Amino acid sequence: MTTTSDLPETETIRLVDHLAGELARAGVTHMFGVGGANIEDLYDAVHRGGAVRGVVAKHEFSAVTMADGYARTSRRLGVVAATSGGGAMNLLPGLAEAYASRVPVLALVGQPPTGEEGRGAFQDTSGKAGSFDAREVFAPVSRFCARVDDPDSLTQLLPRAVAAAQADPRGPAVLLLPKDVQQARIQVPARGPAPAPGGPATASAARLDAAAVGAVSDALRNAGRVLVVAGEDVAAADARGELAELARRLGAWVAVTPDAKDVFDNRDPHFAGVAGVMGHANVEDCLRRADVCLLAGTRLPLLARGGLDRALAATDVVSLGPEPPFVAGTALQGNLRDALRAVTARLPSHPRPCPPHAGPVPRPVPGPLPQAPERTVSHARAVAAVEAALPEDAHVFVDAGNAGAGAIHLLPAPRHGRFVVAVGMGGMGYTFGAGIGAALATGRRTYVLAGDGSFFMHGMEVHTAVEYDAPVTFVIFNNNAHAMCALREEFLQGGVRSDDLFARTDLAAGVAAAFPSLEATGVTDAADLRTALLRSNAGGGPAFVAVACDPREIPPFLPFQSFTEASRTKESSDERGAVRVG
């Protein structure tokens, strides 16, 4: 006979209190977002619960990138919360980046009360009475999207959303939460306080195909020379050790994709450089000499293979990872860490010597540089100053544009930190939020490297860094231009238009005036830059450094190099040899 004492204990609580508690139990420590009437109850629950810290951003795009940076550096689920209407719509570009870059993010999106749907509700996105349906908007940029119409359904929908975000291919999950549903009281199993945050969550891995394991292992074992091109999934799968051991056994050269500089020690003798349009010529040389090219944790998109297509076509390609590559080859699909271990186990344990190679020698500046304005710092000297000051356990977030291309090409990744580039959508301004999310997640000094164009888009997240005392050093390469656009105009359209060249702006003075507690410095000399960066390392909170740069400086970006080479030989910039991106 079942007695009352045999039944599991339950409690009746607000749905948002249950949600906040479940986030904490999943290891979430921070929830990023911007408040509003239709999400305020969740913020109230997070505040009352105390286990998850609510972080208020200046813009919902940056709130998503904070969750993205949090996830990439902690390997936990990133969480963002926003209200309905414009707030919800502002999430989309950030979620698109997380979708394309396979970053696990949970978006909790407020909606008007269910009783007002289809009746002219403010910010109605129910799909009723002529309003558009938010589910149809978020579905293309999410792995899972559901509207929680019934309060009791959250206990099933939340685990499904979290599982979808963390399963391969990883990406965003979206739950649409009407205000009255958030406020509803539901009956749930009684639980004690949320446990302390544990390690990163992992999804169960599917069994590897034995035939594919054998085919890839045989190809590598029989190859005389192997080039490995490693991608971002090595970091996401926490497989750096497995990658290094495989390279050691094969005596392989190891190149990395632009968004994965930190997955292999940049100072290791095996390191060949960065692959693709912002990469090193040595990678192509190694590829031409290789018998087999192994893709590990990358599908090799255009940014990572630009300039390499001909060499790839002449080389046998094998790949490891959860998704098939964009180039032809033998694919072993599945969990990358498991795949690396399975293949390595079939290789001889005695390591092969690594064949000689040139290493990641920087490309020469293509063509003669115009006379630089006085009191500016070249990208090469600025990046060298960053390298000299960068702590070995720091994280680096690199934004789009000329500044980003220079950093990817020239700056070695810190030995014990992330080096993140958002190439999924390549949106300008990503780094300001992402760097803050990373710094709050790990407590480590985090460098944001961005141009002034990116700063003008989302740089006011500096305010968020100040408010939360986040240890972020914002380094702004200020050339008073959308310089990459200006160079494209010069090379592709017959001349630079004035609309991408700006009047001079003193960013450091402006930021210093806006935030008196923030150490903001403007520099026109590489030595002063290094001094300012070392000073920021010694502090506990944020710092801001603006570096004066020349908009006419040509970055180490292969498309520009091919254009300038074509112009020197009197060829059109439309010649087939020019490498194109965008």
Side-chain angles (χ1 to χ4, degrees):
M1 177 179 176
T2 301
T3 65
T4 304
S5 60
D6 295 326
L7 298 174
E9 293 186 13
T10 62
E11 58 181 344
T12 302
I13 60 174
R14 290 186 305 168
L15 179 144
V16 287
D17 294 316
H18 172 70
L19 176 52
E22 290 304 296
L23 293 178
R25 289 185 178 87
V28 174
T29 57
H30 292 73
M31 182 182 79
F32 306 94
V34 180
N38 286 330
I39 201 66
E40 63 190 1
D41 298 284
L42 177 58
Y43 277 92
D44 175 68
V46 165
H47 175 74
R48 291 174 183 270
V52 177
R53 186 182 190 189
V55 177
V56 176
K58 308 289 91 62
H59 192 279
E60 290 84 359
F61 168 79
S62 290
V64 182
T65 67
M66 289 178 194
D68 178 305
Y70 173 99
R72 294 197 203 216
T73 51
S74 70
R75 298 185 57 246
R76 294 194 180 102
L77 179 69
V79 178
V80 60
T83 193
S84 52
M89 296 302 101
N90 284 340
L91 298 172
L92 286 165
L95 294 178
E97 171 60 44
Y99 183 94
S101 291
R102 308 318 194 227
V103 181
V105 171
L106 174 64
L108 304 170
V109 186
Q111 298 286 279
T114 55
E116 298 176 7
E117 294 174 350
R119 303 181 64 186
F122 180 57
Q123 300 179 331
D124 188 359
T125 54
S126 65
K128 299 176 181 178
S131 65
F132 69 85
D133 191 337
R135 286 173 295 190
E136 295 180 358
V137 174
F138 285 106
V141 293
S142 63
R143 306 296 176 192
F144 179 89
C145 180
R147 187 188 301 272
V148 186
D149 290 316
D150 172 21
D152 291 327
S153 69
L154 180 75
T155 56
Q156 288 80 44
L157 291 174
L158 179 60
R160 288 176 60 192
V162 172
Q166 295 177 329
D168 287 323
R170 293 173 291 271
V174 179
L175 291 178
L176 304 171
L177 302 166
K179 185 174 178 67
D180 57 318
V181 170
Q182 295 178 53
Q183 295 174 327
R185 301 185 73 80
I186 60 174
Q187 195 172 59
V188 296
R191 297 187 181 184
T202 56
S204 59
R207 187 180 297 274
L208 299 172
D209 180 82
V213 172
V216 170
S217 301
D218 290 345
L220 294 173
R221 187 168 50 246
N222 295 328
R225 292 175 174 175
V226 176
L227 171 67
V228 177
V229 182
E232 162 67 14
D233 198 51
V234 174
D238 193 23
R240 292 179 179 84
E242 287 78 6
L243 173 66
E245 176 60 18
L246 178 69
R248 186 184 73 88
R249 295 224 192 159
L250 291 171
W253 303 302
V254 180
V256 294
T257 58
D259 58 338
K261 254 196 123 166
D262 61 312
V263 304
F264 192 82
D265 187 349
N266 291 186
R267 298 164 181 84
D268 190 287
H270 292 254
F271 184 61
V274 178
V277 298
M278 291 168 276
H280 301 95
N282 181 57
V283 175
E284 181 180 4
D285 181 62
C286 290
L287 179 58
R288 293 188 183 281
R289 296 165 59 196
D291 300 302
V292 172
C293 177
L294 168 62
L295 308 181
T298 177
R299 304 181 73 189
L300 210 65
L302 182 59
L303 282 179
R305 75 172 190 273
L308 301 177
D309 280 314
R310 291 181 183 177
L312 282 165
T315 308
D316 290 336
V317 176
V318 297
S319 71
L320 309 178
E323 297 181 87
F326 294 118
V327 296
T330 301
L332 170 55
Q333 289 184 234
N335 178 272
L336 177 62
R337 193 176 190 184
D338 292 345
L340 285 166
R341 289 176 173 176
V343 170
T344 302
R346 292 186 172 220
L347 299 176
S349 59
H350 183 70
R352 298 181 192 171
C354 180
H357 64 114
V361 178
R363 292 183 183 273
V365 175
L369 271 176
Q371 183 64 38
E374 292 184 6
R375 303 182 66 78
T376 61
V377 184
S378 71
H379 280 114
R381 295 188 66 199
V383 170
V386 172
E387 180 183 359
L390 189 67
E392 288 199 345
D393 65 346
H395 302 304
V396 178
F397 282 76
V398 178
D399 219 296
N402 286 1
I408 291 167
H409 191 77
L410 297 169
L411 180 63
R415 290 183 186 274
H416 307 296
R418 293 296 329 263
F419 189 107
V420 176
V421 187
V423 298
M425 290 288 104
M428 293 173 65
Y430 160 88
T431 57
F432 292 92
I436 293 169
L440 294 177
T442 65
R444 296 189 196 177
R445 174 60 52 182
T446 300
Y447 275 48
V448 165
L449 309 182
D452 54 311
S454 295
F455 172 80
F456 287 127
M457 289 190 180
H458 291 286
M460 280 301 99
E461 294 302 334
V462 168
H463 177 272
T464 308
V466 171
E467 287 291 299
Y468 293 91
D469 201 31
V472 182
T473 300
F474 299 96
V475 184
I476 311 302
F477 296 77
N478 183 13
N479 53 26
N480 296 295
H482 281 165
M484 185 168 280
C485 294
L487 288 172
R488 288 182 62 85
E489 292 155 14
E490 179 177 348
F491 292 134
L492 289 172
Q493 297 179 328
V496 178
R497 299 190 300 270
S498 61
D499 44 346
D500 281 318
L501 301 175
F502 310 146
R504 181 182 176 276
T505 305
D506 190 341
L507 297 182
V511 167
F515 307 108
S517 65
L518 176 66
E519 183 168 339
T521 308
V523 298
T524 57
D525 176 84
D528 292 340
L529 172 58
R530 179 176 179 273
T531 298
L533 296 177
L534 290 172
R535 192 162 57 240
S536 80
N537 295 345
F544 183 95
V545 185
V547 189
C549 298
D550 180 4
R552 297 169 296 174
E553 183 175 358
I554 301 172
F557 190 54
L558 193 56
F560 293 163
Q561 181 171 18
S562 58
F563 292 143
T564 54
E565 287 174 351
S567 67
R568 284 203 303 270
T569 58
K570 310 298 185 185
E571 295 174 352
S572 164
S573 61
D574 289 326
E575 290 291 323
R576 268 189 235 173
V579 177
R580 294 187 175 279
V581 178

